[in-house]
Amino acid sequence: MNAATVSKAVLLGACALALTACNLMMPSPMYTSPRQDPGFRLLSTVRLEVKESEDRGAIRGAVLDGDSVANTYKYNVVLNQYFGPDLAAYRVDELGYASFYSLQEMYANNLDAAVADNIGGFLCNDNAGEIDRVNFGIGTTEVQISTMESAAQSLLSGAKLGGVAWSATGAFRSLAYANGDLAVGSHNPIGGAMTQVGPGPFAGGIPAIVSTFQTLTDSGGGFWGQNYIEFGKFGFSQAGAFSWFVARRVDNVRGIKEERLVSLPDAGGAPITSPHRPLGTAGAYIIAYDEKRAPAHQVLVLDGGLGTRTKLRIVGDDYVYLGERDLMIDAMPTPHALFLVMTRHRLDDETAELYLNLYAYPVSGL
Amino acid sequence: MRGASIRVAPAVLALALLGSAAFGQGRETAAVEGMAPSRVFFEAGTVVPAAASRFPAVLEFLKLEIEASTRLVVVYLREDADAIATVGVSGAAGAWTLSLSAARRLDGSAGPSLTGNATELTLAKTEAFIRKAARALDAAYPPVPISVTEVVTERVVENKEVRTREQGTILTIRAPEGTRLLLEKKDIVLIDASGVWSLALPQNTAFSYRAELAGRMPVERTLAIGSDDLSDEPVLEPLTAWEAGADIRYANLVLVPAGAWYPVPGRWYVGGAIESSALAMVGSYYEDDKPSLFYLDLQAGAGYWFGTPDQRLRLALEGLLATRLDVGAGLLRFADYATVSAMAAAKLSWRVWDNLSVFIGASSRLAWVNAPSGVDPANLLAAMPLGLGLADGLFRLEWPTFYAGARYGL
């Protein structure tokens, strides 16, 4: 091998090295943890690699996890990935470590209205009109829903339970409805005696709400009936002295769904409605949105009158509002609204990686 | 006596003229031989009256001898002479004494002095004296090497001028001040404020030169030189000060609009480019995963072209500063990756025709990684560009990327 051959080989090798080491593809602004606006604090990040042979890897729902420590910010996230008949779920701890488990689909479908339990796991509707306590790694047990149903009937004769919610302070509220009337009761603890919130039921509340629907309307003889609404997510704010819930009508034939956000002031009066879509409660406010539009999602902060107090911007491919928890700031427990923000990066035909980032925003800043 | 003189004078004059024509050597001839003869002026000294009638003839015979057998030249104006020879006659009939004394005209220094006897003032009787005097003068005033004299110089210059006009021609080149003319044998001429430069060239030849002027397209000229003077004025077309075009970068074929302005056309430029993943013709993503967030990279910098504008292939080096923005629906802000970055690039350009050139290039970037609090800068992006993390990830030196592009002069 003479010098010319060696020099050619070296040159060829250098070219090959240059090509393999060069940046052939354009940079991609897919952040693992997107920068959020000032005020947001990144608490944890977890990377999940998912197979996408059938379903696209995405967040089906998420809910904060209860624990013996009330102010943990562990959370449960359910992906749109089937694991047998169940769905893939992860419980993510404060350090960002994810533990896998599977979750029955009925719970996964109702995570929108699920709330953290104060024991461990979360409370979720089971499609059978009951609320179950879902414990990670333990299984599911029914909450004493019958007691709550009975308690609801104490507020309104023949009432049914429209929703139940649990606050960070451990107080429960439930929504009862019967014959077009609404009533909010409080319980502490769950299953205990129910106390009427406010001066009395919202008599004729449901017809008043129905009248605000814009598309799926009727005059009493229609498909839904004059006083018919479906009850969606329910929440309340003790600090704001109001309860709220989602009133929904669905036309499965036409594939149309219309929702109204309803605020029920503790002080009584007519229900207040709005087209905004609630995500949860933070302090004295409702966290809501109108539409999800990546990469900059606009989050609305509504007061009890459903007026827009301020707007936040969440940057990411998707996000979920988890609820309110205290963070230790300067050794002081400080209420924060927790958002789970997802970014997504496709690796190949069947694999994607999801980055789940838990951000906290001080409630005092809302 | 007077009557004899009058009779002899025409004969002497005739002899003198004849002698000059037959024997006289022109000063030009001597000059051609490289030596100049000394010049002698003869004057009558003391001549006794009895010899007056015959003396002019003797003097003329002496002059003839001088012209014929010496290297001296007889002149007839005193101020032209180098030496003054004084000839006299004394004595009486039958015993004449001839005398000659010489001196330099300019300084009066004495030359040879001699006498001779003759019984008669005839050629035969005075021949010995005449020859003796001629030899003495010849020895005393030999020819001198030609030095710088007014006459000689004028003739030499005149001869040179004549030869130039007869054998060559003048090439005159007219060009703007500051134009560099690159001649054969690597000679360089700079055109001054007159805008004119001339050169004498042989006839029936060819002459090539190259004209360069900053900001103008260089011109190479080859001229046929005939027998007449020639004037040439190269047309130095101004180079464009503005150019626009686009790059195609990465394997994604990102279309990057770019432009430049040349403070020194053809050499220095400042420019900018706008690079965005939104302009990628080949997405590095799956169709059902079309990103909602794009980057917008604003780049500005300066570059320098090596070589000359008329070269087909040229190399440029450029340095750029860039800032990057995140762009998406409802979002326009500085990016966390490469918020500010410095770039170095090299481009090899090929001029397709006048104002159009295409090039390939390579660039590398030193990017500032402005990671949010709590985020590892090394993992800021799901797919970090290949490179080397520096200063705990605060900066990232990207490995090069290659690209191609085209520019058109406006």
Side-chain angles (χ1 to χ4, degrees):
Chain A
M1 186 179 295
N2 56 29
T5 305
V6 171
S7 62
K8 286 178 183 175
V10 169
L11 181 63
L12 199 61
C15 291
L17 183 63
L19 284 176
T20 54
C22 74
N23 282 289
L24 284 176
M25 309 304 289
M26 67 180 179
S28 175
M30 293 180 179
Y31 294 101
T32 55
S33 302
R35 177 184 294 275
Q36 305 298 338
D37 287 341
F40 281 92
R41 179 190 297 263
L42 178 63
L43 299 180
S44 69
T45 299
V46 60
R47 173 185 175 275
L48 301 176
E49 188 170 311
V50 296
K51 292 293 182 184
E52 298 191 320
S53 53
E54 294 183 0
D55 298 299
R56 177 182 169 86
I59 295 178
R60 183 77 164 260
V63 60
L64 277 173
D65 197 284
D67 206 334
S68 55
V69 180
N71 282 319
T72 179
Y73 47 87
K74 293 174 183 171
Y75 62 92
N76 296 269
V77 58
V78 183
L79 304 182
N80 192 33
Q81 300 281 302
Y82 282 91
F83 186 73
D86 299 335
L87 286 155
Y90 294 87
R91 189 191 198 209
V92 183
D93 67 14
E94 292 90 338
L95 298 177
Y97 292 115
S99 303
F100 174 83
Y101 66 99
S102 61
L103 183 70
Q104 294 179 50
E105 187 171 14
M106 62 180 181
Y107 296 121
N109 290 336
N110 295 318
L111 286 175
D112 188 43
V115 295
D117 188 14
N118 60 348
I119 296 176
F122 55 92
L123 303 176
C124 194
N125 194 293
D126 63 1
N127 281 352
E130 296 178 339
I131 296 176
D132 291 347
R133 173 174 285 123
V134 181
N135 285 337
F136 163 72
I138 297 175
T140 59
T141 56
E142 288 185 4
V143 178
Q144 296 173 350
I145 195 71
S146 56
T147 304
M148 296 177 65
E149 291 278 8
S150 301
Q153 290 179 7
S154 67
L155 298 174
L156 293 170
S157 176
K160 293 183 178 179
L161 194 61
V164 60
W166 176 66
S167 75
T169 58
F172 277 87
R173 282 191 181 186
S174 62
L175 177 63
Y177 67 96
N179 301 319
D181 298 332
L182 295 166
V184 176
S186 65
H187 316 257
N188 192 5
I190 189 170
M194 178 173 283
T195 304
Q196 175 80 49
V197 175
F202 293 88
I206 292 179
I209 294 169
V210 165
S211 67
T212 65
F213 277 74
Q214 303 294 312
T215 304
L216 301 181
T217 60
D218 61 59
S219 56
F223 180 77
W224 299 277
Q226 186 177 10
N227 298 326
Y228 178 82
I229 56 171
E230 294 179 11
F231 288 86
K233 196 166 188 171
F234 172 68
F236 69 96
S237 168
Q238 285 187 311
F242 64 91
S243 300
W244 58 266
F245 73 99
V246 174
R248 180 190 303 128
R249 281 185 162 186
V250 179
D251 183 344
N252 290 320
V253 176
R254 290 189 289 168
I256 299 173
K257 180 173 72 174
E258 184 175 2
E259 293 181 339
R260 303 294 291 178
L261 171 60
V262 181
S263 175
L264 302 173
D266 290 354
I272 304 167
T273 67
S274 159
H276 300 311
R277 306 170 75 176
L279 292 166
T281 308
Y285 312 109
I286 300 171
I287 305 298
Y289 73 105
D290 287 329
E291 63 172 345
K292 286 188 174 179
R293 188 181 179 194
H297 304 273
Q298 189 178 69
V299 173
L300 306 174
V301 179
L302 308 178
D303 56 23
L306 302 186
T308 301
R309 173 181 172 82
T310 186
K311 295 175 182 177
L312 300 178
R313 185 173 65 176
I314 304 284
V315 178
D317 291 331
D318 195 8
Y319 74 98
V320 177
Y321 178 64
L322 289 174
E324 179 186 332
R325 285 289 164 88
D326 285 347
L327 297 185
M328 299 301 288
I329 304 297
D330 296 332
M332 293 293 291
T334 307
H336 280 72
L338 302 184
F339 294 88
L340 184 64
V341 179
M342 183 197 80
T343 60
R344 169 188 167 81
H345 179 223
R346 185 83 164 264
L347 295 174
D348 54 41
D349 284 342
E350 295 187 346
T351 312
E353 54 185 3
L354 308 179
Y355 291 91
L356 304 179
N357 299 280
L358 185 63
Y359 290 96
Y361 191 85
V363 171
S364 59
L366 296 176
Chain B
M1 180 70 191
R2 175 169 294 181
S5 298
I6 293 172
R7 285 192 300 270
V8 169
V12 171
L13 181 59
L15 285 171
L17 292 174
L18 182 63
S20 289
F23 306 105
Q25 54 181 0
R27 190 164 180 92
E28 295 84 350
T29 303
V32 170
E33 293 169 354
M35 300 293 281
S38 296
R39 295 160 295 184
V40 182
F41 176 76
F42 286 91
E43 64 182 6
T46 301
V47 178
V48 295
S53 62
R54 302 298 298 177
F55 175 73
V58 173
L59 187 58
E60 290 304 320
F61 285 136
L62 177 57
K63 291 178 181 177
L64 289 173
E65 180 62 18
I66 291 292
E67 290 282 359
S69 59
T70 70
R71 296 166 296 177
L72 295 169
V73 172
V74 178
V75 295
Y76 294 92
L77 294 174
R78 183 183 179 89
E79 58 269 27
D80 289 343
D82 298 316
I84 306 297
T86 304
V87 182
V89 179
S90 60
W96 302 105
T97 300
L98 299 165
S99 64
L100 178 142
S101 63
R104 289 193 178 276
R105 181 180 65 84
L106 293 178
D107 57 6
S109 58
S113 177
L114 55 93
T115 59
N117 297 321
T119 56
E120 294 179 7
L121 293 178
T122 62
L123 179 59
K125 298 300 182 183
T126 60
E127 181 179 0
F129 173 78
I130 289 173
R131 291 187 182 281
K132 181 181 175 183
R135 284 195 300 272
L137 288 173
D138 186 45
Y141 303 105
V144 296
I146 296 175
S147 60
V148 178
T149 64
E150 186 177 349
V151 172
V152 170
T153 301
E154 285 178 355
R155 290 185 67 85
V156 168
V157 170
E158 185 178 329
N159 285 341
K160 280 189 177 177
E161 288 178 351
V162 169
R163 276 198 297 272
T164 299
R165 289 199 174 117
E166 288 175 348
Q167 298 177 6
T169 186
I170 302 296
L171 169 63
T172 301
I173 297 175
R174 303 177 190 281
E177 181 183 4
T179 301
R180 284 175 9 124
L181 302 180
L182 283 72
L183 311 180
E184 296 164 338
K185 298 180 181 177
K186 297 185 178 178
D187 290 334
I188 297 175
V189 172
L190 188 64
I191 298 293
D192 59 18
S194 69
V196 176
W197 178 78
S198 296
L199 175 67
L201 294 169
Q203 294 180 356
N204 301 321
T205 57
F207 180 76
S208 297
Y209 72 96
R210 173 185 173 84
E212 292 181 355
L213 180 62
R216 305 294 182 97
M217 180 63 80
V219 170
E220 290 190 354
R221 302 277 292 167
T222 298
L223 305 174
I225 308 299
S227 58
D228 297 325
D229 289 351
L230 185 65
S231 177
D232 189 43
E233 185 167 357
V235 179
L236 298 163
E237 295 284 354
L239 295 168
T240 54
W242 293 90
E243 67 178 17
D247 298 354
I248 300 292
R249 299 184 183 177
Y250 307 106
N252 304 88
L253 306 183
V254 178
L255 185 66
V256 180
W261 172 68
Y262 285 79
V264 181
R267 187 65 66 191
W268 284 101
Y269 64 93
V270 293
I274 301 174
E275 178 185 319
S276 174
S277 55
L279 296 178
M281 291 183 272
V282 178
S284 54
Y285 48 82
Y286 292 82
E287 191 56 35
D288 57 348
D289 261 328
K290 191 172 183 178
S292 58
L293 188 62
F294 300 92
Y295 74 84
L296 181 66
D297 208 59
L298 305 176
Q299 304 163 0
Y304 179 84
W305 284 106
F306 293 92
T308 56
D310 59 332
Q311 284 181 301
R312 284 286 179 190
L313 279 175
R314 294 184 77 189
L315 176 70
L317 295 179
E318 63 183 22
L320 299 147
L321 288 177
T323 185
R324 184 170 292 185
L325 304 171
D326 286 336
V327 181
L331 186 69
L332 176 63
R333 66 180 184 185
F334 287 109
D336 289 344
Y337 182 80
T339 318
V340 176
S341 56
M343 301 172 64
K347 298 195 295 190
L348 185 63
S349 176
W350 178 53
R351 190 165 56 88
V352 180
W353 63 77
D354 285 348
N355 287 337
L356 180 65
S357 59
V358 296
F359 62 85
I360 57 172
S363 68
S364 186
R365 180 192 297 259
L366 179 64
W368 174 38
V369 184
N370 182 27
S373 175
V375 178
D376 180 6
N379 294 311
L380 177 66
L381 298 176
M384 293 288 282
L386 295 177
L388 182 66
L390 304 172
D392 293 331
L394 185 61
F395 297 97
R396 189 169 187 84
L397 178 62
E398 293 183 7
W399 300 145
T401 182
F402 297 93
Y403 56 97
R407 294 286 186 275
Y408 187 78
L410 302 176

